[in-house]
Amino acid sequence: VIRVSLRRLLILSLFGALLGCESMPPSLEGSPTVHAGYRPASDTTEAGLWLRMDEAEEDLKTSGKLITGTPANEYLEEIICKLDSGLCEDIRVYLVRLPYFNATMAPNGFMQVWSGLLLRTENEAQLAFILGHEIAHYQHKHSLQLFYQAKHTANMLAPFQVAAAAGGVGYAGSLAEIGAYGMLMKYSRDHEREADAGGFKMAFAAGYDPHEAAKVWEDLQEEKDALDEGATSLFLSTHPSSSERLDTLKQMASTAEEPSSGWYKGAERYEQVIDPLKFELFQDELRLRQYPATQVLLDRASEAGERPSEIAFFQAELYSARAEPGDLQKAEAAYRQSLTYSDAPPESYRELAMIYIKSGRAKEAVPLFQTYLSKRPDAFDRSMVRAYIQRIDSGEE
Amino acid sequence: LTIDNRFMLAVSRLLVLAITIALSGYAQAEAWHKPGHRESKETVSVLLMPIDIELSVLTTGGVKEVRADWTATAEQLASQALRRELAQHKDKMVLYEEPSDPETAHLHSQITKLHATVGTTMFVYSLLPSVTPPTAKDSSDWSLGEEVSSLRETSGADYGLFVYLRDSYSTAGRKALIGIGALFGVSASAGSQVGFATLVDLRDGSVVWFNTLARGSGDLRTESAAQETIAKLMKDLPL
C-alpha cells in the first residue's frame, strides 16, 4: 500500500513539474485585429498554421466541389467589400457545393460559403450578417487562438494521460479532461459571441437591416424543430446557445436607430442572383433525405412567392423520394400541378411517366416521355427514356 | 467553425506515421529496386522534382505545430544537398521548372501529391508487412501513372526523382514527458524524421527505385545535417 502511494506521489510531483515546462498560450487579450495586407512573421506558430491553410486552400481549389464563375461568386465578393473591414482585398471567398448551412473562415483569410446556406438566407442583409461574422473571425485571429488553446489543453492533459496509463491518478485525470475540454468549448463560444458582435457592427454600419441578423437563426430553429431531434446542422452543433445568440442579436437590433433612408434588405437583388441556382440547390438538399426540414424550406419558398412550377416539382420529388404510404399519389398530384405552369421543369413529364409505369398505366407514359425528349433533346438519360418507349410499344412494360 | 477539418486530418496522418516508426523500432529498410530494372550504361537525364517537405514541433501534448521558417530553410538546404548528391553521378541533372501553362502546372502539382500518397503506401507496406494486403505483397509494378509523361515532355528528362520529407522535433516538455513516461513503462511518441525518395521512369510512370528514412534522429535545419539526411536517402540510387 505504501509503495503504491509513494509511486503515485512521485508521478504526481513529476508531472506537476512538467506542467510548468510549456507555458500558457500567449495572451491575446484585448482582441487582436488584423490589418490589411497582414502576414505573420515566419518564425511564429501562426506562420505554420498559414502554411497548412495555404495547402488546404489549394486542395479546395482543385477539389471539384466549387461552384465558380456564377453571378453568386461575384455577389459574395461584392458584399464582403461592402462591409467595411478594410480586409476586402485579403479575403478569398469560395462557394462550395455542399447542401448544408455553413460558412467557415481559415486563419490565412480564405472563406468558404456552403451552397446550402444560399438556400436558407432570404436576402442580402441576412447574408451580409453571416459574412460579417466570418470576417470578424479572421479579424480577431480566432483560429490561432483556438489552436493555442487546443495545444495548451493537450499539453495540460498529456501528463495526466501518462500518469493514468501508469496507474497513477485515477479519476483526477478524468476530471482534468472534462475541465479542459469544457474550457475549450467555452473558448469557442466566446469567439462566436465576438464574431456575432463584430459581424453585426459591420453589416449595420453598411446600412443592412439589423432585424435580419436574428431572422436567419429563427429560420434555422424552425428547420431544427421540424426534424424533432438533434441538430443535423453542422453550424448549429458547433455554434451553441442559439437562444442566447438570438436574444443578443434581437437586443442589438432593437437599440439600432433607423436611418432616414431606411434599412437595406436587398431581397430583390438577392433573388435575382440566387434564383438561377435554386434548382440545383433544391436537388442537392433533397439528397440529404431530411424531408421535414426540406418541407420547411419548400413552404418558405412558396410563401415568398418563388416560382410555383419548381416548388410543385420539388414537392413531388420529396414525396417520391420519401415513399411513405400514399406518397406516390401525392407525388403524382404535385407533378401534375407543376405541369399546369408553362415554365414547368421538363423533368416533371419524365417523372410523371415513371409513376404511370409503376401504377400500370404504361401506355399513358409514352406521350409524356416524348414531350420530355422534345423539351430536353440533350438529356443525359435520353437513351434510357427511348428504351422505355420501345419497351412499352413492344408491350414489355 | 473556424479551423478547417483538413488541418486536423493532416495532423492525424502524421501521427499515424510517427506511430508506424515507433512500431518498426526505427528499422532502416533496404532500398527497393524494381525487379529486372537495369541501370543504363548510357548517360540518362534525371529531373529533380521540388521537395515535398514540412518541419514541425511536437509539443508536450503531442500536437504537431508546423514551423514555416524551418520548413523554408530545410527546403533550401535539402535541395542543395540533393543537387550536390546528384552531381556525383554520371547522369545529367535537370531542375524542375514550373510550366507557364496553368493546366500543365496543375497536373504537375497533382503528380507531386500522388507521389506523396503512393509513397506513403509503399513506405507503410515496407515497414509493416503485417498490414500489407496479400495482393500487394511483393508488388513489382508500383507506378505514378502514365500522366507523368507530361514531365518528360516539358523537361526532356528520362527519370524523375521525387523526395518527401517530414521532420519533427520534440519540445523540452515533450522530452520530459517521454522520459517520465519511460520510467513507468508508458511510451509516448517522440519527434522523428520520416521520408522517402522515388525514382520514376518518366516514359510510363513506373517506380524503379524507392528508399525510405524513418528514425528518431536526424536534422534538416543545418547544412551538414541536411547533407547527412539526403546522403542516407540517396544511398544505392541506381544512377
Side-chain angles (χ1 to χ4, degrees):
Chain A
V1 176
I2 291 171
R3 271 190 56 165
V4 169
S5 54
L6 264 181
R7 184 185 152 105
R8 193 169 281 197
L9 204 66
L10 183 61
I11 298 172
L12 282 168
S13 58
L14 277 172
F15 83 68
L18 199 58
L19 278 176
C21 274
E22 250 157 289
S23 55
M24 284 289 288
S27 168
L28 290 169
E29 288 296 310
S31 286
T33 46
V34 168
H35 56 80
Y38 175 80
R39 283 205 73 86
S42 75
D43 60 346
T44 55
T45 296
E46 195 177 4
L49 208 56
W50 277 50
L51 187 66
R52 266 284 161 75
M53 285 302 138
D54 289 345
E55 288 163 20
E57 189 174 349
E58 282 309 306
D59 283 351
L60 179 70
K61 280 191 203 166
T62 57
S63 66
K65 284 193 187 129
L66 293 185
I67 298 174
T68 55
T70 71
N73 297 88
E74 282 171 37
Y75 192 42
L76 291 172
E77 280 167 21
E78 184 191 310
I79 301 171
I80 288 171
C81 288
K82 264 197 208 173
L83 300 171
D84 187 23
S85 62
L87 300 168
C88 142
E89 297 283 320
D90 296 336
I91 290 172
R92 287 89 60 205
V93 60
Y94 300 94
L95 182 53
V96 187
R97 190 174 172 186
L98 277 171
Y100 301 94
F101 179 94
N102 201 13
T104 68
M105 188 76 217
N108 65 341
F110 82 88
M111 190 196 286
Q112 297 183 35
V113 173
W114 293 10
S115 57
L117 189 139
L118 298 180
L119 196 59
R120 287 162 173 85
T121 45
E122 292 166 327
N123 53 44
E124 187 177 318
Q126 291 184 2
L127 198 49
F129 282 101
I130 292 166
L131 297 178
H133 174 104
E134 299 304 328
I135 295 173
H137 275 317
Y138 174 69
Q139 215 168 26
H140 298 300
K141 298 190 183 183
H142 285 158
S143 293
L144 178 68
Q145 294 188 49
L146 202 64
F147 181 75
Y148 278 136
Q149 191 61 35
K151 188 170 81 169
H152 176 66
T153 305
N155 287 347
M156 231 170 52
L157 286 178
F160 282 102
Q161 282 156 352
V162 167
V169 284
Y171 67 87
S174 327
L175 280 182
E177 268 186 39
I178 294 166
Y181 290 125
M183 243 166 69
L184 210 57
M185 288 297 289
K186 185 187 167 306
Y187 212 71
S188 148
R189 274 200 299 275
D190 288 345
H191 288 163
E192 292 308 318
R193 270 186 214 108
E194 193 173 37
D196 268 352
F200 186 91
K201 229 170 106 183
M202 266 182 257
F204 174 67
Y208 289 110
D209 186 344
H211 301 93
E212 294 299 318
K215 185 77 174 36
V216 187
W217 304 108
E218 281 176 329
D219 286 353
L220 272 184
Q221 193 58 45
E222 194 188 347
E223 259 186 78
K224 197 177 153 197
D225 291 345
L227 285 169
D228 324 304
E229 63 206 42
T232 48
S233 158
L234 285 175
F235 205 86
L236 284 181
S237 58
T238 53
H239 293 67
S241 17
S242 49
S243 65
E244 181 217 288
R245 139 178 282 159
L246 206 67
D247 292 342
T248 314
L249 288 173
K250 277 185 172 167
Q251 218 257 317
M252 283 196 276
S254 69
T255 54
E257 204 175 307
E258 185 167 353
S260 52
S261 55
W263 303 115
Y264 182 63
K265 269 193 200 162
E268 299 78 20
R269 180 79 205 288
Y270 181 88
E271 202 190 312
Q272 188 195 342
V273 175
I274 305 303
D275 205 47
L277 288 176
K278 278 272 168 87
F279 195 81
E280 190 181 324
L281 296 181
F282 264 120
Q283 271 182 326
D284 291 349
E285 164 69 25
L286 268 172
R287 291 200 185 102
L288 297 180
R289 300 182 162 273
Q290 36 181 36
Y291 306 122
T294 307
Q295 189 63 60
V296 170
L297 294 176
L298 280 172
D299 292 346
R300 200 177 293 151
S302 167
E303 237 170 82
E306 289 180 31
R307 207 172 297 146
S309 60
E310 267 183 25
I311 295 171
F313 171 73
F314 282 111
Q315 187 65 64
E317 293 277 278
L318 188 153
Y319 291 137
S320 170
R322 192 174 65 182
E324 278 173 11
D327 274 352
L328 197 65
Q329 288 74 26
K330 285 185 194 164
E332 181 178 337
Y335 284 124
R336 281 181 188 286
Q337 162 90 29
S338 151
L339 288 175
T340 60
Y341 301 98
S342 58
D343 63 345
E347 286 75 15
S348 286
Y349 291 99
R350 183 193 63 199
E351 293 307 313
L352 195 56
M354 291 308 292
I355 290 181
Y356 283 169
I357 293 179
K358 274 186 212 163
S359 52
R361 290 172 281 169
K363 282 267 178 271
E364 290 170 62
V366 175
L368 293 170
F369 275 142
Q370 278 159 347
T371 314
Y372 171 65
L373 287 178
S374 70
K375 287 187 184 269
R376 281 237 195 281
D378 297 325
F380 76 97
D381 55 354
R382 56 186 185 276
S383 313
M384 204 171 76
V385 171
R386 281 196 202 107
Y388 265 119
I389 297 176
Q390 258 178 7
R391 285 167 61 99
I392 296 167
D393 285 345
S394 65
E396 284 172 60
E397 284 282 355
Chain B
L1 279 176
T2 46
I3 288 196
D4 200 282
N5 284 341
R6 277 159 202 272
F7 175 67
M8 297 318 288
L9 198 73
V11 170
S12 65
R13 248 195 331 232
L14 287 173
L15 271 177
V16 169
L17 271 183
I19 292 165
T20 312
I21 303 168
L23 286 176
S24 71
Y26 304 103
Q28 180 68 50
E30 294 264 306
W32 178 87
H33 295 259
K34 185 182 172 78
H37 173 76
R38 282 189 208 294
E39 200 175 315
S40 170
K41 292 228 164 49
E42 289 142 45
T43 316
V44 293
S45 56
V46 183
L47 173 67
L48 191 55
M49 292 299 288
I51 302 180
D52 187 342
I53 193 168
E54 205 161 83
L55 270 68
S56 52
V57 160
L58 189 66
T59 63
T60 310
V63 173
K64 275 208 173 133
E65 188 182 315
V66 178
R67 284 288 301 252
D69 50 344
W70 292 356
T71 302
T73 308
E75 185 176 11
Q76 213 180 4
L77 293 176
S79 303
Q80 272 170 17
L82 204 53
R83 286 201 292 273
R84 205 167 302 159
E85 191 72 30
L86 280 184
Q88 293 171 14
H89 293 266
K90 64 182 191 310
D91 299 304
K92 192 175 157 244
M93 172 171 54
V94 183
L95 294 180
Y96 176 76
E97 274 173 44
E98 197 178 295
S100 51
D101 167 37
E103 235 169 84
T104 315
H106 173 63
L107 173 65
H108 292 177
S109 87
Q110 292 295 98
I111 292 172
T112 308
K113 281 185 195 168
L114 182 64
H115 167 254
T117 306
V118 172
T120 304
T121 307
M122 292 180 76
F123 178 85
V124 171
Y125 288 0
S126 72
L127 285 174
L128 294 174
S130 58
V131 303
T132 310
T135 48
K137 286 227 159 78
D138 308 316
S139 285
S140 57
D141 56 352
W142 292 101
S143 172
L144 294 189
E146 282 168 9
E147 292 204 87
V148 300
S149 62
S150 163
L151 290 172
R152 186 182 168 83
E153 282 154 27
T154 50
S155 70
D158 304 301
Y159 293 93
L161 182 63
F162 293 78
V163 174
Y164 175 99
L165 283 165
R166 292 292 180 272
D167 205 356
S168 59
Y169 305 84
S170 304
T171 59
R174 186 70 184 175
K175 284 180 186 151
L177 181 90
I178 294 164
I180 294 169
L183 287 178
F184 299 99
V186 178
S187 74
S189 61
S192 58
Q193 191 178 60
V194 294
F196 44 83
T198 314
L199 189 66
V200 176
D201 189 332
L202 294 182
R203 280 169 309 179
D204 59 1
S206 61
V207 174
V208 297
W209 172 85
F210 180 73
N211 199 15
T212 59
L213 192 66
R215 54 185 183 166
S217 58
D219 203 334
L220 284 163
R221 294 169 298 178
T222 64
E223 199 179 332
S224 58
Q227 267 177 35
E228 185 266 347
T229 302
I230 292 297
K232 252 197 155 57
L233 203 53
M234 289 298 119
K235 199 168 168 283
D236 293 335
L237 180 72
L239 285 176

